[in-house]
Amino acid sequence: MDFAAMFDAGLSYHDFLAQHGTDEHRKRWEAFYGRVTLTEQQRTLLTGFVREMKVLCLAGAWCGDCVQQCPIFQHFAEATDKIQVRYFDRDANADLAAALQMCGGARVPMLVFLSEDGQWVSTYGDRTVAKYRQMAADLLGAACPTGIVPPDHHLTAEVIEDWLREFERAQLVLRTSARLRALHGD
């Protein structure tokens, strides 16, 4: 799949919600967005990013996991001009959903990190390790979060940190790339 060619067809955070979300979905995303706070250390890390990174996000406005993670990506993108995130609805993009299957299923959110010139860097999703640890501790059977009840503040902080590590990892791959270092003369 040519992720670079797809990037420009993606939607901004607000356009994605306007096109694919109901009023109730937008309300949930907005409420969770308001719960997300970045620490000064996290903001400093993000503003220190040097390389531009393009991020494709396969999501669903209806998805509880997306409600509790995609607003985090928006905060990251707002903290630095080096991160551009474009959203794709899972149900409207079957080819992308098929390419990003995890454990044989269509999962969301799924992120694809690209270099400034569209080279694949990494793929990550659907939940972070903190969320999976919480689920393993709490659940004995199948469950699907609705996004109606937000996670506790401690879990949210851990999930933010997990995602930030993944964004930082992609940034470090880009920053230490011999090809990009030669291109930028650094």
Side-chain angles (χ1 to χ4, degrees), residues 72-150:
I72 295 169
F73 314 148
Q74 180 65 12
H75 275 273
F76 292 171
E78 290 170 356
T80 177
D81 63 355
K82 299 301 181 189
I83 297 173
Q84 298 176 53
V85 184
R86 295 294 178 270
Y87 293 84
F88 296 82
D89 180 72
R90 185 194 76 182
D91 297 336
N93 293 278
D95 55 342
L96 184 58
L100 296 177
Q101 283 191 2
M102 181 181 203
C103 199
R107 298 285 189 74
V108 287
M110 292 295 293
L111 272 59
V112 177
F113 294 87
L114 303 172
S115 65
E116 64 197 51
D117 57 355
Q119 295 297 309
W120 179 87
V121 175
S122 68
T123 305
Y124 190 78
D126 66 330
R127 298 176 180 117
T128 71
V129 68
K131 179 65 176 177
Y132 272 114
R133 285 178 183 146
Q134 178 261 320
M135 288 175 64
D138 292 349
L139 302 176
L140 297 176
C144 181
T146 63
I148 296 170
V149 179

Side-chain angles (χ1 to χ4, degrees), residues 48-90:
F49 281 12
V50 173
R51 297 279 188 257
E52 290 182 26
M53 109 170 69
K54 297 178 178 182
V55 182
L56 279 80
C57 179
L58 183 67
W62 46 265
C63 168
D65 287 321
C66 295
V67 169
Q68 297 173 1
Q69 295 179 86
C70 295
I72 295 169
F73 314 148
Q74 180 65 12
H75 275 273
F76 292 171
E78 290 170 356
T80 177
D81 63 355
K82 299 301 181 189
I83 297 173
Q84 298 176 53
V85 184
R86 295 294 178 270
Y87 293 84
F88 296 82
D89 180 72
R90 185 194 76 182

